[in-house]
Amino acid sequence: MYYPLLRARQFELIALRDLANTGASQGCIVPILEPVKESFNNLKIALTTFASRNQQAVLLVNPIVGDLYGDHALILDYLQQGNFPVTRAFYYRNNTTYILDSIEEYNLQNCMIICQNDINPDDVRFKDLIESEAVQLIVVEDPGRNRALDRYVRNLDKTYIRLDDFFEKQQRNSDFLDIQEHRFSEEHLHYLNENFNGFSDYTVLPSEYSDSGSTPRAVVIHLTYMKGDNQIWIRHFTSDTNDSIANVQGKFAEAAEKAVQFCRGNNLNNAAIAELEDYYNRQHYPGLGTVKKISLKNHLLIVQDYLSHH
Amino acid sequence: MNRYDEDWFENNNSSFLEYLRYIYKILENNYQNEYVFKNSFLNEILINDIISGDSKVFSEFRIGNAVADLVLFNGTSKVFEIKTEMDSAKRLDIQLKNYRTAFNEIYLIIPESKSKEYTYLEQEIGIITYQPNDLEKFKITRKATSNETVDPNVIMEVFHTNEYKGLVLEYFGSLPRMTSFNQFEKCKELILQIPNHILNSYFISIMKRRQKQVAIAKKHYKEFNQISLALKLTTTERKELIGLLKSPIKQTPYVLSTA
């Protein structure tokens, strides 16, 4: 099972809704969503779609970035009032009391805990939490970095998920011009053999949260694709005219031209690529949010395609 | 900062607002950083024109490969480049080169003590000197010569999509056949045909239209005028900000310790 960790923002949610609506993601992709905005309008539409399409999802109730930062009851209340059948997830940061109190107060079961790899597995309070009956899914970031924690979680007989951060953000978008492609991820090949129940990552988006988007000097379309030996590679299709912030539409045209040519030349196709080709054929610039949505959707479809055939 | 702050730790009733005004005063008297410099200039020179709505002023205006400190549009366009005691003149040549492509008048604002260092500049560039202790803090020691030739390629990059499309529509009466991929180039071809002095006037009026009226005040809390301009605060937002700053510091002492 693939658990992409995403911020619950507009275009991430649209991508997930698109996939749930076409039945593509059910059974192999379970998104973990971290709300970052005070308004839940987009989230509500997505959660409603998930419920009606039987799409499993996980919601983080104590975000570590964005407007909703902190250990509070806001999201827990919201989910309870809306009666949304999603798994509740908590970031662990020495907050056992908050998490156990929340579990009790909201009568939660089958919760997920997301752990950084700096946790000491001998910490009694941590063990109290992790071993409690209500906690059933445990995500550990880069578990190879903390072998003691890794061994401890492995022996608990709970759903164990590894979290990796693959996307290498560049300081400026135009820096992607020099990086054509590189190997991106192969967890889908190995996670079961290495006795994980699932794998998680930040997809083709940076793990670092940023709220301030200014007009970029370069437009990049990041597309992942499957190479011969089932490794996932990423290719960065970057605009060439990057000396000012003007004409973002023209920059998109340059990047889309490269991406579409590559996909056609290599017979790559799925719903996300088809969408990109449609914009390209109509010479229509859909906005940077949609560019992100296409990148994300393509990546989820690549993983989904592999998981549903293996 | 500790030696300035001691009294504030002790006092139970101090608000953030009072603290910031106090700090502002200290900076104004001892250390004219860019914020103080810009804010004084707004308050001493530009404020009446801004309040009346005749002029629109931008803080940090991107032009070509440079970002101008202050830009003013009324019947003409003026750019003000601030070089405080702490600034070096290193980027000045590049900045001026960019400013010439789009603005009618260029002014350099410098501390009076530094005025000798800039005598080498071309005569067309105006110089304003700053002397914080004088009654008249800013003096125009040399007026800028107006140059109304603008570079349409540079202007084009300043325009937003709706602005250049609006200009083509207004001047030519219709938009050419185009897609979102090539609209920039198509419109640019046409805008290059507009006589330069007319383009200059359009540029000024389009920029005046872009900038909404920002909330600045002549009397109350004028230390915060530059922040209003930089954040483009509306009257309501400014009131909200000042209201929040009026809360006592004591409630969250850790904020003070990082100040």
Side-chain angles (χ1 to χ4, degrees):
Chain A
M1 194 71 83
Y2 178 40
Y3 296 87
L5 178 44
L6 297 163
R7 270 85 203 211
R9 291 201 278 205
Q10 186 184 4
F11 288 95
E12 282 86 336
L13 294 168
I14 294 175
L16 293 169
R17 268 163 47 202
D18 281 3
L19 295 178
N21 272 326
T22 55
S25 48
Q26 283 87 334
C28 47
I29 296 178
V30 179
I32 305 172
L33 291 167
E34 178 171 24
V36 286
K37 295 276 164 214
E38 276 169 5
S39 156
F40 286 164
N41 295 340
N42 288 315
L43 184 61
K44 186 179 177 186
I45 304 171
L47 292 177
T48 310
T49 306
F50 296 163
S52 71
R53 308 293 309 193
N54 286 320
Q55 167 66 52
Q56 273 185 282
V58 181
L59 220 70
L60 272 156
V61 301
N62 62 336
I64 52 172
V65 293
D67 297 347
L68 302 171
Y69 175 94
D71 292 340
H72 50 68
L74 199 86
I75 302 167
L76 285 161
D77 281 337
Y78 180 77
L79 292 177
Q80 191 181 47
Q81 280 156 21
N83 206 13
F84 295 113
V86 292
T87 302
R88 273 65 159 176
F90 296 88
Y91 276 116
Y92 179 78
R93 39 180 184 202
N94 296 317
N95 52 356
T96 296
T97 308
Y98 159 74
I99 299 176
L100 287 177
D101 285 356
S102 303
I103 286 172
E104 197 183 319
E105 183 163 349
Y106 294 88
N107 193 22
L108 303 179
Q109 286 151 4
N110 212 28
C111 293
M112 172 184 279
I113 305 291
I114 300 184
C115 312
Q116 308 272 294
N117 60 23
D118 58 355
I119 294 165
N120 175 5
D122 295 328
D123 180 340
V124 180
R125 292 297 284 153
F126 175 68
K127 285 166 107 167
D128 282 350
L129 172 68
I130 292 295
E131 291 172 24
S132 82
E133 184 54 34
V135 170
Q136 285 302 324
L137 300 100
I138 299 160
V139 180
V140 175
E141 187 179 25
D142 200 1
R145 300 275 299 275
N146 187 338
R147 302 283 293 278
L149 177 66
D150 179 51
R151 273 204 308 278
Y152 165 70
V153 177
R154 244 168 229 290
N155 291 321
L156 289 173
D157 200 26
K158 302 201 175 192
T159 302
Y160 183 21
I161 299 155
R162 62 174 298 144
L163 168 62
D164 295 276
D165 183 3
F166 293 123
F167 186 77
E168 292 165 29
K169 194 178 174 223
Q170 300 299 312
Q171 207 181 353
R172 288 165 310 186
N173 258 350
S174 57
D175 295 340
F176 281 110
L177 255 183
D178 301 328
I179 313 166
Q180 201 160 48
E181 67 168 9
H182 54 95
R183 201 179 53 173
F184 187 68
S185 141
E186 48 185 349
E187 287 320 312
H188 55 288
L189 299 172
H190 306 306
Y191 77 103
L192 286 175
N193 292 334
E194 291 173 7
N195 295 315
F196 290 98
N197 306 96
F199 63 104
S200 177
D201 57 38
Y202 300 90
T203 73
V204 288
L205 301 171
S207 58
E208 185 187 305
Y209 176 69
S210 151
D211 195 27
S212 58
S214 59
T215 318
R217 282 170 175 259
V219 169
V220 195
I221 305 171
H222 309 281
L223 291 182
T224 47
Y225 68 104
M226 204 57 95
K227 272 221 167 169
D229 46 2
N230 281 330
Q231 282 180 345
I232 296 174
W233 282 59
I234 189 164
R235 224 174 150 90
H236 310 289
F237 302 96
T238 310
S239 56
D240 293 304
T241 315
N242 302 329
D243 47 4
S244 82
I245 59 163
N247 194 14
V248 65
Q249 300 91 343
K251 296 177 203 293
F252 171 74
E254 292 173 358
E257 160 93 26
K258 293 181 184 179
V260 166
Q261 294 309 338
F262 181 80
C263 292
R264 284 180 183 160
N266 291 277
N267 289 320
L268 303 178
N269 216 333
N270 61 34
I273 293 169
E275 207 178 318
L276 180 64
E277 275 199 273
D278 178 56
Y279 289 125
Y280 175 74
N281 290 338
R282 290 192 289 124
Q283 299 209 16
H284 177 73
Y285 167 67
L288 291 175
T290 299
V291 174
K292 174 169 83 171
K293 186 201 80 169
I294 288 172
S295 284
L296 172 58
K297 199 168 147 182
N298 171 69
H299 180 69
L300 297 178
L301 285 166
I302 299 287
V303 179
Q304 175 268 331
D305 185 56
Y306 176 86
L307 294 180
S308 56
H309 292 98
H310 289 85
Chain B
M1 274 317 209
N2 242 342
R3 85 187 136 106
Y4 299 109
D5 285 348
E6 260 164 40
D7 298 344
W8 294 83
F9 285 110
E10 311 301 320
N11 190 338
N12 281 314
N13 300 319
S14 339
S15 70
F16 287 102
L17 189 80
E18 289 164 28
Y19 178 68
L20 287 172
R21 293 175 86 174
Y22 168 71
I23 291 294
Y24 184 89
K25 198 83 213 154
I26 289 171
L27 288 173
E28 196 174 34
N29 292 329
N30 301 298
Y31 187 86
Q32 290 85 36
N33 67 0
E34 188 164 309
Y35 183 86
V36 170
F37 226 103
K38 265 189 181 179
N39 197 64
S40 308
F41 189 66
L42 274 182
N43 289 338
E44 305 288 325
I45 307 292
L46 302 180
I47 196 150
N48 287 327
D49 287 338
I50 298 177
I51 287 178
S52 71
D54 291 343
S55 300
K56 292 290 178 65
V57 174
F58 292 77
S59 175
E60 305 290 302
F61 189 95
R62 191 198 291 264
I63 193 80
N65 297 319
V67 178
D69 290 324
L70 285 170
V71 172
L72 175 141
F73 296 95
N74 42 29
T76 175
S77 58
K78 296 180 187 175
V79 56
F80 300 95
E81 178 59 35
I82 296 167
K83 293 289 179 213
T84 69
E85 294 279 1
M86 285 75 79
D87 292 323
S88 83
K90 215 166 65 188
R91 273 187 55 79
L92 189 59
D93 282 349
I94 300 169
Q95 288 167 328
L96 294 176
K97 194 171 150 234
N98 280 288
Y99 300 162
R100 281 189 195 100
T101 61
F103 301 114
N104 302 155
E105 295 174 33
I106 304 173
Y107 279 97
L108 191 67
I109 312 179
I110 50 175
E112 198 167 57
S113 57
K114 283 211 151 188
S115 55
K116 286 219 168 60
E117 293 176 33
Y118 292 95
T119 44
Y120 70 93
L121 290 174
E122 295 91 328
Q123 284 300 311
E124 71 200 54
I125 292 162
I127 290 180
I128 297 172
T129 52
Y130 177 57
Q131 179 52 262
N133 303 322
D134 283 6
L135 202 61
E136 195 190 349
K137 288 180 185 162
F138 293 91
K139 285 188 205 99
I140 300 180
T141 48
R142 189 164 89 196
K143 262 191 85 64
T145 325
S146 183
N147 164 25
E148 280 165 28
T149 314
V150 291
D151 181 343
N153 293 294
V154 174
I155 302 294
M156 192 62 201
E157 301 208 329
V158 176
F159 285 147
H160 295 161
T161 307
N162 62 339
E163 289 167 346
Y164 69 69
K165 280 178 162 175
L167 171 55
V168 169
L169 194 60
E170 194 176 326
Y171 189 80
F172 294 95
S174 66
L175 286 167
R177 280 180 70 90
M178 58 191 192
T179 67
S180 68
F181 281 16
N182 63 18
Q183 60 188 10
F184 183 86
E185 295 303 331
K186 294 264 184 193
C187 289
K188 187 171 165 178
E189 278 170 31
L190 291 168
I191 285 171
L192 286 171
Q193 297 169 19
I194 300 176
N196 207 279
H197 65 284
I198 297 178
L199 182 60
N200 181 47
S201 311
Y202 271 119
F203 177 53
I204 292 165
S205 62
I206 291 170
M207 288 307 107
K208 285 182 78 172
R209 233 176 292 157
R210 182 194 287 183
Q211 181 79 315
K212 63 181 182 185
Q213 189 75 28
V214 291
I216 59 173
K218 265 172 112 163
K219 277 215 181 81
H220 297 294
Y221 313 117
K222 58 183 191 165
E223 300 87 350
F224 298 92
N225 279 342
Q226 164 58 18
I227 208 89
S228 291
L229 177 67
L231 300 177
K232 298 182 183 157
L233 298 182
T234 61
T235 314
T236 325
E237 287 164 341
R238 182 177 162 110
K239 272 191 188 141
E240 209 174 307
L241 173 71
I242 305 257
L244 284 171
L245 289 175
K246 279 180 177 165
S247 58
I249 294 176
K250 276 283 167 172
Q251 283 170 349
T252 48
Y254 61 90
V255 175
L256 190 65
S257 65
T258 59

